[in-house]
Coordinates of all heavy atoms in Angstrom, one line a residue:
Y6 N 18.6 -13.2 -0.6 CA 19.7 -12.4 -1.1 C 20.2 -13.0 -2.4 O 20.5 -12.3 -3.4 CB 20.9 -12.4 -0.1 CG 22.1 -11.7 -0.6 CD1 22.3 -10.4 -0.6 CD2 23.2 -12.5 -1.0 CE1 23.4 -9.7 -1.0 CE2 24.4 -11.9 -1.5 CZ 24.5 -10.5 -1.5 OH 25.6 -9.9 -1.9
R7 N 20.4 -14.3 -2.5 CA 20.9 -14.9 -3.7 C 19.9 -14.9 -4.8 O 20.2 -14.6 -6.0 CB 21.2 -16.4 -3.4 CG 22.4 -16.6 -2.5 CD 22.7 -18.0 -2.2 NE 23.1 -18.7 -3.4 CZ 24.4 -18.8 -3.8 NH1 25.3 -18.2 -3.1 NH2 24.7 -19.4 -4.9
I8 N 18.6 -15.1 -4.5 CA 17.6 -15.0 -5.6 C 17.5 -13.5 -6.1 O 17.4 -13.3 -7.3 CB 16.2 -15.4 -5.0 CG1 16.2 -16.9 -4.8 CG2 15.1 -15.0 -6.0 CD1 15.0 -17.4 -4.0
S9 N 17.6 -12.6 -5.2 CA 17.6 -11.2 -5.7 C 18.7 -10.9 -6.6 O 18.5 -10.2 -7.6 CB 17.7 -10.2 -4.5 OG 16.5 -10.4 -3.6
G10 N 19.9 -11.4 -6.3 CA 21.1 -11.2 -7.2 C 20.9 -11.9 -8.5 O 21.2 -11.2 -9.5
H11 N 20.5 -13.1 -8.5 CA 20.3 -13.8 -9.8 C 19.2 -13.2 -10.6 O 19.3 -13.0 -11.8 CB 19.9 -15.3 -9.5 CG 21.0 -16.1 -9.0 ND1 22.2 -16.2 -9.7 CD2 21.2 -16.9 -7.9 CE1 23.1 -17.0 -9.1 NE2 22.5 -17.4 -8.0
L12 N 18.1 -12.7 -10.0 CA 17.0 -12.1 -10.7 C 17.4 -10.8 -11.2 O 17.0 -10.4 -12.4 CB 15.8 -11.9 -9.8 CG 14.5 -11.5 -10.4 CD1 14.1 -12.4 -11.5 CD2 13.4 -11.3 -9.4
E13 N 18.2 -10.0 -10.5 CA 18.7 -8.8 -11.0 C 19.6 -8.9 -12.2 O 19.4 -8.2 -13.2 CB 19.6 -8.1 -9.9 CG 20.1 -6.7 -10.2 CD 21.0 -6.2 -9.1 OE1 20.4 -5.9 -8.0 OE2 22.2 -6.0 -9.3
T14 N 20.4 -10.0 -12.3 CA 21.2 -10.3 -13.4 C 20.3 -10.6 -14.6 O 20.6 -10.2 -15.8 CB 22.2 -11.4 -13.2 OG1 23.1 -11.0 -12.1 CG2 23.0 -11.7 -14.4
L15 N 19.3 -11.4 -14.4 CA 18.4 -11.8 -15.4 C 17.6 -10.6 -16.0 O 17.5 -10.5 -17.2 CB 17.4 -12.9 -14.9 CG 16.4 -13.4 -15.9 CD1 17.0 -14.2 -17.0 CD2 15.4 -14.3 -15.2
V16 N 17.2 -9.8 -15.1 CA 16.5 -8.6 -15.5 C 17.4 -7.7 -16.3 O 17.0 -7.1 -17.4 CB 15.9 -7.8 -14.3 CG1 15.4 -6.4 -14.7 CG2 14.8 -8.6 -13.7
K17 N 18.6 -7.5 -15.9 CA 19.6 -6.6 -16.6 C 19.8 -7.2 -18.0 O 19.8 -6.4 -19.0 CB 20.9 -6.6 -15.8 CG 22.0 -5.8 -16.5 CD 23.3 -5.8 -15.7 CE 24.4 -5.0 -16.5 NZ 25.6 -5.0 -15.7
N18 N 19.9 -8.5 -18.2 CA 20.2 -9.0 -19.5 C 18.9 -8.9 -20.4 O 19.1 -8.6 -21.6 CB 20.5 -10.5 -19.4 CG 21.9 -10.7 -18.7 OD1 22.7 -9.9 -18.8 ND2 22.1 -11.9 -18.2
N19 N 17.8 -9.1 -19.8 CA 16.5 -8.9 -20.6 C 16.3 -7.4 -21.0 O 15.9 -7.2 -22.2 CB 15.3 -9.4 -19.8 CG 15.2 -10.9 -19.6 OD1 15.9 -11.6 -20.4 ND2 14.5 -11.4 -18.7
L20 N 16.6 -6.5 -20.1 CA 16.5 -5.1 -20.4 C 17.5 -4.7 -21.5 O 17.1 -3.9 -22.4 CB 16.7 -4.2 -19.2 CG 15.7 -4.4 -18.1 CD1 16.1 -3.5 -16.9 CD2 14.3 -4.1 -18.5
Y21 N 18.7 -5.2 -21.5 CA 19.6 -4.9 -22.5 C 19.2 -5.4 -23.9 O 19.3 -4.7 -24.9 CB 21.0 -5.6 -22.2 CG 22.0 -5.4 -23.2 CD1 22.7 -4.2 -23.3 CD2 22.3 -6.4 -24.1 CE1 23.7 -4.0 -24.3 CE2 23.3 -6.2 -25.1 CZ 23.9 -5.0 -25.2 OH 24.9 -4.8 -26.2
D22 N 18.6 -6.7 -23.9 CA 18.1 -7.2 -25.2 C 17.0 -6.3 -25.7 O 16.9 -6.1 -27.0 CB 17.6 -8.6 -25.0 CG 18.8 -9.6 -24.7 OD1 19.9 -9.3 -25.0 OD2 18.5 -10.7 -24.1
V23 N 16.1 -5.9 -24.9 CA 15.0 -5.0 -25.3 C 15.5 -3.7 -25.9 O 15.1 -3.2 -26.9 CB 14.0 -4.8 -24.2 CG1 13.0 -3.7 -24.5 CG2 13.3 -6.1 -23.9
A24 N 16.5 -3.1 -25.2 CA 17.0 -1.8 -25.6 C 17.7 -2.0 -27.0 O 17.5 -1.1 -27.8 CB 18.0 -1.3 -24.5
V25 N 18.5 -3.0 -27.1 CA 19.1 -3.2 -28.4 C 18.1 -3.5 -29.5 O 18.2 -3.0 -30.6 CB 20.1 -4.4 -28.3 CG1 20.6 -4.8 -29.7 CG2 21.3 -4.1 -27.4
M26 N 17.0 -4.2 -29.2 CA 16.0 -4.5 -30.2 C 15.3 -3.2 -30.6 O 15.1 -3.0 -31.8 CB 14.9 -5.4 -29.5 CG 13.8 -5.9 -30.5 SD 12.5 -6.7 -29.6 CE 13.4 -8.0 -28.7
E27 N 15.1 -2.3 -29.7 CA 14.4 -1.0 -30.0 C 15.4 -0.1 -30.8 O 15.0 0.6 -31.7 CB 13.9 -0.3 -28.8 CG 13.3 1.0 -29.0 CD 12.1 0.9 -30.0 OE1 11.5 -0.2 -30.1 OE2 11.7 2.0 -30.6
R28 N 16.7 -0.1 -30.4 CA 17.7 0.6 -31.2 C 17.7 0.2 -32.6 O 17.8 1.0 -33.6 CB 19.0 0.6 -30.5 CG 20.1 1.4 -31.2 CD 21.4 1.4 -30.5 NE 22.0 0.0 -30.5 CZ 23.1 -0.3 -29.8 NH1 23.8 0.6 -29.2 NH2 23.6 -1.5 -29.9
D29 N 17.7 -1.2 -32.8 CA 17.8 -1.7 -34.1 C 16.5 -1.3 -34.9 O 16.5 -1.1 -36.1 CB 17.9 -3.2 -34.1 CG 19.3 -3.7 -33.6 OD1 20.2 -2.8 -33.6 OD2 19.4 -4.8 -33.2
N30 N 15.4 -1.3 -34.2 CA 14.1 -1.0 -34.8 C 14.0 0.4 -35.4 O 13.3 0.7 -36.4 CB 13.0 -1.2 -33.8 CG 11.6 -1.0 -34.4 OD1 11.2 -1.7 -35.3 ND2 10.8 -0.1 -33.8
I31 N 14.7 1.4 -34.7 CA 14.7 2.8 -35.2 C 15.8 3.1 -36.2 O 15.9 4.2 -36.7 CB 14.7 3.8 -34.0 CG1 16.1 3.7 -33.3 CG2 13.5 3.5 -33.1 CD1 16.2 4.8 -32.2
S32 N 16.6 2.1 -36.5 CA 17.7 2.2 -37.4 C 17.2 1.9 -38.8 O 16.4 1.0 -39.0 CB 18.9 1.4 -37.1 OG 19.4 1.7 -35.8
L33 N 17.8 2.5 -39.8 CA 17.5 2.3 -41.2 C 18.7 1.7 -41.9 O 19.8 2.2 -41.7 CB 17.0 3.5 -41.9 CG 15.8 4.2 -41.4 CD1 15.5 5.5 -42.1 CD2 14.6 3.3 -41.5
S34 N 18.5 0.7 -42.8 CA 19.6 0.1 -43.5 C 20.3 1.1 -44.5 O 21.5 1.0 -44.7 CB 19.1 -1.1 -44.3 OG 18.1 -0.8 -45.2
E35 N 19.5 2.1 -45.0 CA 20.1 3.0 -46.0 C 20.8 4.2 -45.3 O 21.4 5.0 -46.0 CB 18.9 3.6 -46.9 CG 17.9 4.3 -46.1 CD 16.7 3.5 -45.8 OE1 16.8 2.2 -45.6 OE2 15.6 4.0 -45.7
G36 N 20.8 4.2 -44.0 CA 21.5 5.3 -43.3 C 20.7 5.9 -42.2 O 19.5 5.8 -42.2
N37 N 21.4 6.5 -41.2 CA 20.7 7.1 -40.1 C 21.0 8.6 -39.9 O 22.2 8.9 -39.8 CB 21.1 6.3 -38.8 CG 20.6 4.9 -38.9 OD1 19.5 4.5 -38.9 ND2 21.6 4.0 -38.9
S38 N 20.0 9.4 -39.9 CA 20.2 10.8 -39.6 C 19.0 11.2 -38.8 O 17.9 11.5 -39.3 CB 20.2 11.6 -40.9 OG 20.4 13.0 -40.7
Y39 N 19.1 11.3 -37.5 CA 18.0 11.6 -36.5 C 17.8 13.1 -36.3 O 18.8 13.8 -36.3 CB 18.3 10.9 -35.2 CG 18.4 9.4 -35.3 CD1 19.7 8.8 -35.4 CD2 17.3 8.5 -35.3 CE1 19.9 7.4 -35.5 CE2 17.5 7.2 -35.3 CZ 18.7 6.6 -35.5 OH 18.9 5.2 -35.6
R40 N 16.6 13.4 -36.1 CA 16.3 14.8 -35.9 C 14.9 15.0 -35.2 O 14.1 14.0 -35.2 CB 16.2 15.6 -37.2 CG 15.2 15.1 -38.2 CD 15.2 15.9 -39.5 NE 14.2 15.4 -40.4 CZ 12.9 15.7 -40.5 NH1 12.5 16.6 -39.6 NH2 12.1 15.2 -41.4
L41 N 14.7 16.1 -34.6 CA 13.4 16.4 -34.0 C 12.7 17.5 -34.9 O 13.4 18.4 -35.3 CB 13.5 17.0 -32.6 CG 13.8 16.0 -31.4 CD1 13.8 16.8 -30.1 CD2 12.7 14.9 -31.4
D42 N 11.4 17.3 -35.2 CA 10.7 18.3 -35.9 C 10.1 19.4 -34.9 O 10.3 19.3 -33.7 CB 9.6 17.7 -36.8 CG 8.5 17.1 -36.0 OD1 8.3 17.4 -34.8 OD2 7.7 16.3 -36.6
Q43 N 9.5 20.4 -35.4 CA 9.0 21.5 -34.6 C 7.9 21.0 -33.6 O 7.6 21.7 -32.6 CB 8.4 22.6 -35.5 CG 7.3 22.2 -36.4 CD 6.8 23.3 -37.3 OE1 7.5 24.3 -37.4 NE2 5.8 23.0 -38.1
D44 N 7.3 19.9 -33.9 CA 6.2 19.3 -33.0 C 6.8 18.4 -31.9 O 6.0 17.8 -31.1 CB 5.1 18.6 -33.8 CG 4.4 19.6 -34.7 OD1 4.1 20.7 -34.2 OD2 4.1 19.2 -35.8
G45 N 8.1 18.2 -31.9 CA 8.7 17.3 -31.0 C 8.7 15.8 -31.4 O 9.0 15.0 -30.6
N46 N 8.4 15.6 -32.7 CA 8.5 14.2 -33.2 C 9.9 13.8 -33.6 O 10.6 14.6 -34.2 CB 7.5 14.0 -34.4 CG 6.1 14.2 -34.0 OD1 5.6 13.6 -33.0 ND2 5.3 15.0 -34.8
L47 N 10.3 12.6 -33.3 CA 11.6 12.1 -33.6 C 11.5 11.4 -35.0 O 10.7 10.5 -35.2 CB 12.1 11.1 -32.6 CG 13.5 10.5 -32.8 CD1 14.6 11.6 -32.8 CD2 13.8 9.5 -31.7
W48 N 12.4 11.8 -35.9 CA 12.5 11.3 -37.2 C 13.9 10.6 -37.4 O 14.9 11.1 -36.8 CB 12.3 12.3 -38.3 CG 10.9 12.9 -38.3 CD1 10.3 13.7 -37.4 CD2 10.0 12.6 -39.4 NE1 9.0 14.0 -37.8 CE2 8.8 13.4 -39.0 CE3 10.0 11.9 -40.5 CZ2 7.6 13.4 -39.8 CZ3 8.8 11.9 -41.3 CH2 7.7 12.6 -41.0
N49 N 13.9 9.7 -38.3 CA 15.2 9.2 -38.9 C 15.1 9.4 -40.4 O 14.3 8.7 -41.1 CB 15.4 7.7 -38.5 CG 16.8 7.2 -39.0 OD1 17.6 8.0 -39.5 ND2 17.1 6.0 -38.7
G50 N 15.9 10.3 -40.9 CA 15.7 10.7 -42.3 C 14.5 11.5 -42.5 O 13.9 12.0 -41.6
D51 N 14.0 11.5 -43.8 CA 12.9 12.4 -44.1 C 11.6 11.6 -44.2 O 10.5 12.2 -44.3 CB 13.1 13.0 -45.5 CG 14.3 14.0 -45.5 OD1 14.5 14.6 -44.5 OD2 15.0 14.0 -46.5

């Protein structure tokens, strides 16, 4: 029970770090304007 709880907290923190890393990865320093094109591709800017 205790190991499951500690591991769950560790996993949660790791997942959060990864999500933030990916969010930062898709952001642009010059500004963010997200859109989908007609083929379903996700863009930031042009």
